[in-house]
Amino acid sequence: MDKFRMIFQFFQSNQESFMNGICGIMALASTQMYSAFDFNCPCLPHYNLAYGLGILLVPPFILFLLGFVLNNNISMLAEEWRRPQGQRGKDPAVLRYMFCSMAQRAMIAPVVWVSVTLLDGKCITCAFCTLVPVETLGNASHPRLSQGEVQRVLARIPCKEIYNGQQLIANEVAVRYLRCISQALGWCFVLLMTTLAFLVRSLRPCFSQAAFLKSRYWSHYIDIERKLFDETCAEHARSFAKVCIQQFFEGMSTDLVAARCHLPRKAPADAGEAAEKLLGITDWGTMNMALKSWHRCKPPLHLHPPALSTGNGWAGEGQPPTHPSEPRRETAAYYSWV
């Protein structure tokens, strides 16, 4: 349990680790889904290709979209892309970095699905069983069958229980031939994806390290800024609700005192702290205006240091800052009279 707790805490350490954990779980889920999937080839000439390629390509597309849906940054990316210019410019490099980062993580589960499917070989056997070279692997001269009849016989190769073309081509030979081709394609696909991932991860910082660091920094900044804004809004809403409820009960207490029902209670001490956290935003319209202003014109990313006050006034008004003088060094000399 301690190991699982440590792994869970690592996944929660930052957004990147969390999304890596989600993508890893989706990759494991894709393999479990494929192993639990009951593959049933229709064994018909006009349906085998559609069924085999559909199982090979449609689930990876769904997993790719699911990877985007589970990524929390997709809404942040859309918001940053669609927001007005305002007082803060939009950097296309940051948007590209965010999209590429999400796309790379969302591609993990589809790549695992395609790799497992190709290495298993059922989809390729079902999709391309009618393209088996009978002249090379079988006995094309044995029966005088039309092209349509040959296609119907070959379409039943994945269905061993209803296959009746052993005299044309052995079922084991055709299945082994197609499975070898599928596994070769699967290992080539795995090698290609691994090589591309290696090149992207290792060579990209070598060519544009400064641009890569800037894009990564501002991407993390946008994520942290959004979280802090949500936390600040939640804290403001809590303080607003606390003060509103406190004022409601104070009004009720005043009415009860006027009616001589019972004495009012003393206001709690934390009501003043909640009022201070409102920062002057004390009504519905002002809060809505603040939220619209945050969306339309976010503050520029330029921090101004606060002015420091001195004994004669404010520092920084055309006067150079005064530095304390260094203490004088005193040297003691000793003379001896001999």
Side-chain angles (χ1 to χ4, degrees):
M1 292 300 295
D2 294 336
K3 294 182 179 179
F4 286 107
R5 190 180 297 110
M6 291 175 61
I7 294 173
F8 187 71
Q9 290 177 355
F10 172 75
F11 286 157
Q12 283 188 328
S13 59
N14 54 54
Q15 182 71 14
E16 207 168 314
S17 300
F18 176 75
M19 289 314 306
N20 290 335
I22 291 295
C23 293
I25 293 174
M26 286 184 59
L28 294 176
S30 64
T31 57
Q32 294 296 323
M33 288 170 57
Y34 183 80
S35 61
F37 177 70
D38 188 12
F39 188 88
N40 292 315
C41 186
C43 295
L44 295 173
H46 301 290
Y47 297 95
N48 285 6
L49 181 63
Y51 183 81
L53 294 183
I55 298 300
L56 180 65
L57 300 178
V58 174
F61 180 72
I62 297 175
L63 291 173
F64 180 73
L65 295 180
L66 188 61
F68 271 101
V69 171
L70 294 179
N71 199 322
N72 296 329
N73 291 339
I74 186 65
S75 59
M76 182 179 65
L77 174 62
E79 179 184 351
E80 183 68 16
W81 178 48
R82 294 295 300 171
R83 73 172 176 85
Q85 189 76 12
Q87 299 181 8
R88 182 189 302 180
K90 293 185 288 185
D91 191 356
V94 178
L95 300 179
R96 286 195 302 267
Y97 172 81
M98 295 169 61
F99 178 79
C100 293
S101 179
M102 288 186 293
Q104 290 174 10
R105 292 184 175 89
M107 283 293 293
I108 296 177
V111 167
V112 172
W113 177 277
V114 174
S115 302
V116 173
T117 305
L118 290 177
L119 293 175
D120 185 55
K122 293 179 182 178
C123 291
I124 298 299
T125 302
C126 179
F128 300 102
C129 58
T130 57
L131 301 179
V132 174
V134 182
E135 296 82 2
T136 306
L137 303 177
N139 186 13
S141 62
H142 173 65
R144 294 182 179 179
L145 300 176
S146 63
Q147 187 66 23
E149 293 174 347
V150 172
Q151 293 294 317
R152 283 193 296 271
V153 172
L154 295 179
R156 297 177 182 177
I157 290 177
C159 306
K160 188 176 181 179
E161 62 277 1
I162 63 173
Y163 181 68
N164 57 355
Q166 292 289 345
Q167 298 176 353
L168 180 64
I169 182 174
N171 181 271
E172 294 80 5
V173 174
V175 171
R176 181 167 297 183
Y177 172 77
L178 293 173
R179 184 167 293 178
C180 289
I181 294 177
S182 178
Q183 291 179 353
L185 292 175
W187 285 116
C188 291
F189 180 77
V190 172
L191 179 61
L192 177 63
M193 291 295 103
T194 306
T195 305
L196 288 178
F198 170 76
L199 293 177
V200 169
R201 299 288 290 181
S202 61
L203 297 182
R204 182 178 60 178
C206 297
F207 292 99
S208 57
Q209 179 68 12
F212 173 75
L213 290 176
K214 289 189 294 184
S215 301
R216 185 176 182 178
Y217 175 84
W218 291 116
S219 174
H220 289 312
Y221 173 83
I222 294 173
D223 182 30
I224 295 174
E225 184 186 51
R226 186 186 184 189
K227 290 180 180 179
L228 290 177
F229 183 78
D230 292 340
E231 293 175 1
T232 304
C233 288
E235 185 178 0
H236 184 275
R238 181 179 179 84
S239 303
F240 189 87
K242 184 181 292 186
V243 173
C244 185
I245 294 172
Q246 183 64 33
Q247 290 180 357
F248 168 76
F249 279 101
E250 287 179 356
M252 289 295 296
S253 300
T254 304
D255 295 339
L256 292 175
V257 169
R260 296 181 181 179
C261 292
H262 74 71
L263 296 176
R265 296 181 180 179
K266 185 178 180 181
D270 57 351
E273 298 179 0
E276 292 179 357
K277 294 180 180 179
L278 295 178
L279 300 176
I281 304 177
T282 57
D283 58 356
W284 185 16
T286 308
M287 189 64 203
N288 289 337
M289 184 174 63
L291 295 175
K292 292 179 181 178
S293 177
W294 175 263
H295 172 69
R296 292 177 180 175
C297 50
K298 290 186 178 181
L301 298 177
H302 179 68
L303 303 180
H304 300 280
L308 301 177
S309 59
T310 60
N312 298 328
W314 292 98
E317 298 179 358
Q319 299 178 358
T322 58
H323 300 282
S325 59
E326 298 182 358
R328 296 181 179 179
R329 297 182 179 178
E330 297 182 358
T331 306
Y334 297 91
Y335 300 93
S336 60
W337 297 86
V338 180

